[in-house]
Amino acid sequence: MRRTTTLRTALSALLLLGTWVTASALPASAAESPARSPQAPASPGLLDAMQRDLGLTRDAAEARLAAERKATATERKAREAAGSAYGGSWFDAERGRLTVAVTSDTVTDSVRDTGAAVRLVRHTARQLDAAKATIDALSAPAGVGSWHVDPKANKVVVNVVAGHRDDNDVRAFLARAREAGPVTVRQTPAAPRTFAAGTVGGDPYYTGNVRCSIGFSVHGGFVTAGHCGSPGSAVYGWDRSYVGTFQGSSFPDNDYAWVNVGSGWWTVPVVLGWGTVPDQLVRGSAEAPVGASVCRSGSTTRWHCGRVLAKNETVNYSQGAVHQMTKTSVCAQPGDSGGSFISGDQAQGVTSGGWGNCSSGGETWHQPVNEILNRYGLRLHTA
């Protein structure tokens, strides 16, 4: 273990850097932030970011988080009530409630009884998922950015990079995709890319010549993005001291990894606010619905917020396709890879990649955290 004085120095430096830290050289007392009610929706830092990025007042941000918590709890019950007629669901921010698509009016009353609004659609979620799975088996050209099931549109959306829709290989891909089921085509401004970065001094962790961001603490280590390192790669902290090694990693196809933590480093279920006191934010990993607000923290661009745009999207990076990703309207930049996506106090996923930046805007995908936990048999470290 490092001396207390060294740890205090590390903590001070981390506060100055403003790094999202869930597994770092912090004293055990760092987890002892001021007590909050178990019903408290979020930290001041999260609320501030939502006000800045979503254009909300503080009261509106708190009300939205409360409505999203209710929608998250409702989603499972509503899906059970819909049964085989379930067509997907999303959070309607304007109405502040969950909307559930169904293919039969015989289940509408049962679904409404759960507290959800109902919309009749043509295709079930199972049919749409099957169509997407067929498209997943195709070889996508570089002009195709991604594809996902959109429950609101009740179709599979294929996102084509601007200026490439008339490419012969893109047209051929779209023709085969339409044979799989109901497809609609949308335009995306740029091709997706991962957000790893070359070595830059003073940021959270390094492996080789790559800088990435820590995701969430698990018992024994932390989770992060798979493209940041391969199994056995050594990981060094912001101060270049040894942390551990990548114990598991998958990219492409997936984009997840986990790193064991030792050598005097701790895992704690907290994050450091940017220049503020630590907040006990991570209390679970309940998955937020499409339309819900979500915030991201990373070593390059700090806190930014947006909305969940789509789930189970296949992203066509230059290195290969990555499946079952969640798309958001949150911006990110190189070095943010692996960082935390959180909704309220619930862990959502680790930053993978996207397009754009935090000056002009963009979209970012994250790898859902529950998939990572299940894949490696890990347990999220919660407050």
Side-chain angles (χ1 to χ4, degrees), residues 35 56 73 98 132 206 335:
L56 302 173
L98 186 75
K132 179 184 174 293
Y206 304 86

Side-chain angles (χ1 to χ4, degrees), residues 58-354:
R58 190 177 188 85
D59 287 346
E62 291 178 339
R64 177 158 178 166
L65 286 170
E68 289 172 355
R69 286 200 309 274
K70 183 177 180 181
T72 299
T74 299
E75 188 173 32
R76 181 181 58 81
K77 295 182 289 184
R79 183 168 190 156
E80 291 176 354
S84 61
Y86 179 73
S89 60
W90 61 95
F91 177 74
D92 186 331
E94 291 186 1
R95 302 175 68 183
R97 66 190 299 195
L98 186 75
T99 298
V100 176
V102 298
T103 58
S104 173
D105 57 10
T106 62
V107 299
T108 55
D109 289 342
S110 297
V111 174
R112 287 194 182 99
D113 286 344
T114 68
V118 178
R119 178 182 295 182
L120 282 171
V121 296
R122 181 176 179 182
H123 306 287
T124 66
R126 181 173 295 180
Q127 290 170 327
L128 295 174
D129 288 342
K132 179 184 174 293
T134 300
I135 298 171
D136 282 345
L138 303 178
S139 178
V144 176
S146 62
W147 53 96
H148 70 275
V149 170
D150 184 342
K152 202 170 185 178
N154 199 228
K155 292 181 179 180
V156 178
V157 174
V158 178
N159 296 291
V160 174
V161 179
H164 290 269
R165 183 161 182 169
D166 292 330
D167 292 357
N168 289 335
D169 54 355
V170 172
R171 293 173 67 181
F173 178 86
L174 293 176
R176 296 186 66 187
R178 289 189 176 98
E179 293 174 358
V183 165
T184 187
V185 180
R186 295 176 185 167
Q187 181 174 288
T188 185
R193 61 191 176 100
T194 57
F195 284 133
T199 299
V200 177
D203 275 304
Y205 85 84
Y206 304 86
T207 179
N209 65 343
V210 172
R211 170 173 61 84
C212 283
S213 300
I214 291 168
F216 293 99
S217 282
V218 296
H219 290 273
F222 64 83
V223 294
T224 187
H227 69 264
C228 291
S230 56
S233 297
V235 172
Y236 300 88
W238 67 272
D239 61 353
R240 300 306 184 106
S241 65
Y242 177 74
V243 175
T245 60
F246 278 83
Q247 298 297 299
S249 179
S250 178
F251 180 81
D253 187 27
N254 307 291
D255 194 5
Y256 51 59
W258 83 281
V259 175
N260 71 325
V261 168
S263 302
W265 291 69
W266 283 267
T267 64
V268 288
V270 299
V271 300
L272 290 178
W274 299 96
T276 64
V277 299
D279 284 317
Q280 296 179 342
L281 284 178
V282 183
R283 298 179 181 273
S285 57
E287 187 177 332
V290 170
S293 62
V294 66
C295 294
R296 178 197 55 72
S297 188
S299 62
T300 299
T301 58
R302 305 184 177 185
W303 280 90
H304 286 277
C305 296
R307 297 179 297 111
V308 177
L309 300 178
K311 295 184 181 182
N312 191 23
E313 182 153 26
T314 299
V315 183
N316 190 34
Y317 292 129
S318 61
Q319 300 94 328
V322 177
H323 304 93
Q324 297 180 321
M325 304 286 276
T326 296
K327 180 164 69 175
T328 75
S329 63
V330 188
C331 67
Q333 292 178 195
D336 288 328
S337 279
S340 315
F341 265 89
I342 194 162
S343 183
D345 55 12
Q346 300 295 304
Q348 299 297 305
V350 300
T351 302
S352 173

